[in-house]
């Protein structure tokens, strides 16, 4: 296992046109961070990169999951009015998660499938 991940369980999949349309990712390069939004992960640097590239319509930053630093990351994105950032969170309820499996497969349990939280600035799905 590298970095706590069994790479044999995660394989590249074809892009999902339905998911891309739903998240506004069509024809975009997606820079993604999937996992715990912790204090030690320096996600402010990813937000800074998104700000620097905010004029590039062909690049989207995708954050998936949550954690102790999630609220601060969301606040930074909101303060900067970054429209090139999509934020999703995992949900214990499993709402709207079926087609997000290509994005995040943290577990095989349907109870941990992600739920859309929203996109900044204030656009909910």
């Amino acid at each position: 296992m590298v970095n706590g991940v069994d790479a044999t369980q995660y394989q590249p999949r074809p892009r999902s046109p339905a998911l891309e349309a739903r998240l506004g990712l069509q024809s975009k390069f997606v820079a993604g961070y999937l996992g715990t939004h912790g204090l030690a992960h320096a996600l402010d640097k990813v937000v800074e990169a998104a700000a620097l590239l905010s004029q590039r319509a062909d690049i989207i930053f995708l954050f998936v999951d949550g954690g102790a630093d999630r609220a601060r990351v969301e606040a930074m994105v909101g303060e900067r009015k970054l429209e090139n950032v999509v934020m999703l969170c995992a949900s214990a309820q499993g709402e709207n998660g079926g087609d997000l499996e290509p994005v995040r497969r943290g577990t095989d349990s349907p109870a941990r499938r992600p739920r859309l939280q929203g996109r900044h600035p204030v656009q909910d799905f």
Side-chain angles (χ1 to χ4, degrees):
M1 281 194 196
V2 177
N3 197 22
V5 175
D6 182 356
T8 63
Q9 292 190 15
Y10 299 91
Q11 302 298 320
R13 297 181 184 190
R15 293 180 77 142
S16 165
L19 179 60
E20 287 181 334
R22 185 168 158 198
L23 299 178
L25 307 177
Q26 307 96 318
S27 303
K28 311 259 186 202
F29 175 84
V30 179
Y33 178 84
L34 290 74
T36 302
H37 293 53
L39 300 172
H41 296 119
L43 296 178
D44 55 325
K45 301 301 182 193
V46 180
V47 174
E48 287 175 22
L52 289 171
L53 295 169
S54 64
Q55 300 303 312
R56 292 281 308 266
D58 61 324
I59 300 174
I60 290 284
F61 288 78
L62 175 68
F63 289 86
V64 180
D65 222 337
D69 208 23
R70 173 65 183 231
R72 186 176 73 91
V73 171
E74 288 180 344
M76 291 173 61
V77 170
E79 288 165 5
R80 290 167 176 77
K81 297 178 174 51
L82 297 177
E83 295 184 27
N84 63 333
V85 174
V86 176
M87 298 194 76
L88 308 177
C89 73
S91 168
Q93 290 81 28
E95 299 170 19
N96 301 321
D99 64 344
L100 293 177
E101 283 301 295
V103 175
R104 180 181 184 279
R105 286 189 56 215
T107 178
D108 289 331
S109 168
R112 289 266 306 149
R113 288 186 179 153
R115 172 180 59 85
L116 283 173
Q117 181 176 5
R119 179 179 175 153
H120 290 278
V122 187
Q123 178 185 356
D124 290 326
F125 291 86

